[in-house]
Structures are given as structure tokens and as C-alpha cells.
Amino acid sequence: MTIKHDWTKEEILEIYNKPFMDLLYEAASIHRENHDPNVVQVSTLLSIKTGGCPEDCGYCPQAARYHTDIEGNDLMSVNQVKAQALRAKASGSSRVCMGAAWRNVKDGEEFDSVLEMVRTINKLDMEVCCTLGMITENQAQRLAEAGLYAYNHNLDSSEEYYKEVISTRGYQDRLDTIGNVRKTNVTVCSGGIIGMGESNDDRAGMLVALATLSPQPESVPINALVPVEGTPLEEQAPVSIWDMVRMVATTRIVMPETQVRLSAGRTEMSREGQAMCFFAGANSIFAGDKLLTTPNPDVGEDMEMFKALGLHPQKPFVKKSKPESVEATESKFLNLGEKPKWSRPSHKIERNLEAQKKSKTSL
Ligand code: SF4
């Protein structure tokens, strides 16, 4: 299938706004042409370093400046990560995604430890993904050499609406990080969040930014905002299932070969709603009772749903073969001790400042 890379916002909006049944039918047809419709990839998300993040992402309870009741923790040990990965494998996950609440990766002991975690999980014959913030080309190369399968870095929303949610890091830096990952053999995972108050135009804008990348990301997570008390977006209305299905279906149509992942917000969705998303082209989920800090359905419940729908978890390395993993002592990339200057737009976002103020008064 030839992949179209010159999508415009108007074209994508036209798809998003189609009559629901037409949209579902088209997305399901494209899904079947490109994927086995009864196979769903299952990933486990592991928060290897939680909380205390210096950024101001309006949706995130891990931002230190807001007052939320999450329990932070320092970087987990390699052994702790290995134990969790083994548990995830036993429950049917083919991929472990390790998330650290960092603005960007800094060369040093902690990054070396993450590289060791990548090697360890790779040796368990599981796909390894990391989401660690912005990274340089050299850092991406070192992750690739350790055996990383995918790197996640979400665009979150359209470039325009992104500025209404985050002021401490720029959109271009996100694209540059994705570009750095692309210089290696690591696959790209990048998506966003709906329900942050954005318009349909913004949703289409985010899909333009992703679908015009060449190659398109191998994986696109679609999250529904889980509003957390204390964050600037705590009062956002829940995303309707119709919007979620429309977003999944549109993503499937404009990125036919990509794995579309149902991510945060699944606890708010009925099984019937999730089944509609799978029909519309979603073919990946996060398993485990927590997604970093927000609730997620229990693995057992997911497997019951898979049984009812006749779905099967995807085996690891089906889409791309297992990357080789080079030991630290054999590495041909030096720790450059880089201190890159990622941008800090620092414009004012009223609701972020309000949430920050409230946090100070509630201490
Ligand atoms: S989304 Fe990531 S970068 Fe933003 S505050 Fe949360 S942990 Fe930090």
C-alpha cells in the first residue's frame, strides 16, 4: 500500500467529520488490509522514576509545581525493573515501556542505568520502549545500541494548542527528538491526548503533524485525558466515546500501517466502547492497573475482554526483528556529557499559573 504523506488539515477534518457508520466502515476496511484484525499488541508501562518533574504540562500529575497526591520515587534499580518485566511477560505483554519523569535525558549514572535496563529486558525477548523526555542523537544511538525497540515522545496536540498546555518546552524540540530517534534503527512511538479543551481542528492538526512524518510513526498512542485533581486540567469534561472512536478511526485511515494504541482513559470506557475502537483500527493497548500514575484496567479484565472478542495478544518482534544488544564494555558510542539547550518558551498559561498558585496555598 502506498502511504500518503501530504495530508492537509482540511482532508483530515473531512474524514473525522464523516457520518459515523461511513467512518467506521472505511477505517475497519483499511485496518483489515494492513493488519490482522484479531491481534492486539499488549504493552506494559512501567514508571521507573515518578514525580518531581520540572515541566508544567497541564495534564500531568507528575509536574512538581502542581499539588497532586501521587507518590514520587527515585529511579528504580535494574533488578526491580527485571522483576516487573518478568511479571509483565507472564501476563501476556510483549513490550515493556519504561517512563521517567524527566525533561530530557542527561548523560551520567542514571542514563547508564537505564541503558542496562534496556539490555536486561531485551535479553528477556521482549520489546523495550523508553519515554525519557528529549534526547540527543548520541543518546538515541546509545539506546539503540543497548537494544531499544521503540522510543516514545508524544506531540500531545496540535502545535497551536500545545502552547495552551505547556510553556516549558517547545513543539520543535519534540519533533527534533523524534528526528534524532529516526537517525537510529529504533522505531518511533508518538501520539497525543484528546479532551484537553482542544478543538477538532487541533485534533486534525496533531494528526497532520504525525501523518506527514516520513516514515510515519510505527506506533501512535491516543490518550483520553484523565483529569487529575490539582492539575490545571482537573475540570475538563470527560471525552465521549464517539470522539474517541472518531479519533482512532481517523488515525487508522491516515496512518494505515501504524499500530494505533488505546492508552490513558480506558477505565472510563465500557468494553463495548473499546470493542468499537478495536473495530475502528486500534490494535494496541497498555496493560497493568496503572498508567504511570493514572488508573488502568486490570490485566485479568483485559484478557477476559480479549476472550469475549476473540482477540489475541501479538507476539514480540512481529513487525520488526529483535534488535541486537551491545554490552556497555563493547559500546562504540562515548558518553559525551552533553548539556543540550532545549528551548523554554516561557509564555504565560493562566490556568497553569492558577494551579501552581493553588498548590502553594495548599501546602
Ligand atoms: S508529561 Fe512528562 S515532561 Fe510533562 S510534567 Fe509530566 S513527566 Fe514531566
Side-chain angles (χ1 to χ4, degrees):
M1 180 168 203
T2 327
I3 304 285
K4 175 174 156 68
H5 288 283
D6 58 353
W7 289 101
T8 64
K9 198 152 75 173
E10 292 66 35
E11 286 172 325
I12 293 184
L13 268 178
E14 201 180 311
I15 297 172
Y16 184 89
N17 288 320
K18 275 185 184 214
F20 192 77
M21 297 306 163
D22 292 346
L23 176 62
L24 260 194
Y25 183 74
E26 186 179 337
S29 309
I30 291 180
H31 186 46
R32 276 158 190 269
E33 278 167 33
N34 292 280
H35 305 268
D36 181 336
N38 299 314
V39 172
V40 173
Q41 193 258 331
V42 182
S43 293
T44 293
L45 187 54
L46 205 58
S47 186
I48 56 171
K49 189 266 166 192
T50 310
C53 184
E55 303 300 280
D56 75 337
C57 308
Y59 51 80
C60 184
Q62 302 202 62
R65 64 188 70 205
Y66 308 133
H67 184 66
T68 61
D69 58 6
I70 58 150
E71 259 178 56
N73 66 268
D74 293 339
L75 190 66
M76 283 167 75
S77 70
V78 177
N79 279 341
Q80 282 171 320
V81 167
K82 184 176 180 183
Q84 300 261 21
L86 282 170
R87 217 170 295 149
K89 187 175 181 180
S91 65
S93 278
S94 59
R95 180 182 293 190
V96 173
C97 181
M98 296 187 280
W102 290 332
R103 167 174 167 80
N104 59 283
V105 169
K106 293 190 186 115
D107 290 335
E109 235 174 73
E110 289 200 322
F111 185 45
D112 291 345
S113 184
V114 172
L115 293 171
E116 204 43 49
M117 292 172 194
V118 172
R119 290 186 195 98
T120 305
I121 303 176
N122 174 288
K123 283 183 199 136
L124 300 177
D125 284 329
M126 297 183 82
E127 296 172 2
V128 198
C129 173
C130 280
T131 181
L132 312 170
M134 275 95 71
I135 54 170
T136 63
E137 183 179 341
N138 179 266
Q139 291 164 342
Q141 296 285 10
R142 292 172 72 202
L143 283 164
E145 196 193 40
L148 192 73
Y149 187 89
Y151 193 83
N152 165 271
H153 201 57
N154 289 337
L155 290 183
D156 292 342
S157 191
S158 67
E159 183 162 10
E160 297 74 28
Y161 199 70
Y162 182 89
K163 297 192 187 103
E164 308 284 321
V165 181
I166 301 153
S167 76
T168 55
R169 50 191 173 94
Y171 208 71
Q172 189 55 47
D173 287 340
R174 307 203 70 74
L175 291 166
D176 290 348
T177 289
I178 293 172
N180 287 338
V181 175
R182 268 292 171 232
K183 291 177 192 151
T184 71
N185 62 357
V186 173
T187 61
V188 168
C189 172
S190 183
I193 309 172
I194 64 169
M196 300 192 291
E198 75 289 337
S199 63
N200 288 349
D201 250 48
D202 292 311
R203 292 177 185 175
M206 178 182 88
L207 292 181
V208 170
L210 293 168
T212 53
L213 292 172
S214 184
Q216 294 178 336
E218 284 80 357
S219 160
V220 171
I222 302 292
N223 296 276
L225 177 76
V226 178
V228 178
E229 207 183 325
T231 61
L233 296 178
E234 64 182 358
E235 278 170 11
Q236 284 299 314
V239 172
S240 87
I241 187 65
W242 312 121
D243 281 15
M244 194 64 189
V245 176
R246 280 188 183 280
M247 194 65 187
V248 165
T250 310
T251 307
R252 167 52 66 230
I253 293 169
V254 301
M255 289 178 268
E257 292 182 354
T258 292
Q259 296 224 250
V260 180
R261 176 167 305 124
L262 282 187
S263 302
R266 261 197 323 121
T267 34
E268 304 307 313
M269 290 163 65
S270 67
R271 287 187 177 184
E272 294 82 349
Q274 293 181 61
M276 237 186 320
C277 289
F278 293 132
F279 187 69
N283 59 350
S284 176
I285 58 165
F286 273 124
D289 57 3
K290 252 199 180 158
L291 278 192
L292 296 178
T293 57
T294 52
N296 196 49
D298 167 88
V299 190
E301 282 173 32
D302 280 337
M303 289 308 131
E304 257 178 46
M305 173 176 70
F306 273 30
K307 203 167 160 214
L309 299 176
L311 296 174
H312 307 285
Q314 181 177 293
K315 297 205 163 50
F317 313 115
V318 170
K319 302 278 178 187
K320 189 173 171 278
S321 54
K322 181 178 166 182
E324 265 182 51
S325 171
V326 173
E327 293 303 326
T329 47
E330 310 284 312
S331 172
K332 60 180 192 332
F333 293 97
L334 290 174
N335 167 349
L336 297 178
E338 290 180 292
K339 290 200 178 94
K341 286 251 172 296
W342 298 102
S343 71
R344 229 175 243 286
S346 305
H347 53 283
K348 283 198 169 67
I349 303 176
E350 276 314 320
R351 62 187 171 194
N352 289 14
L353 295 172
E354 273 305 306
Q356 208 174 323
K357 241 193 264 161
K358 255 201 248 165
S359 147
K360 285 199 183 121
T361 51
S362 60
L363 285 179

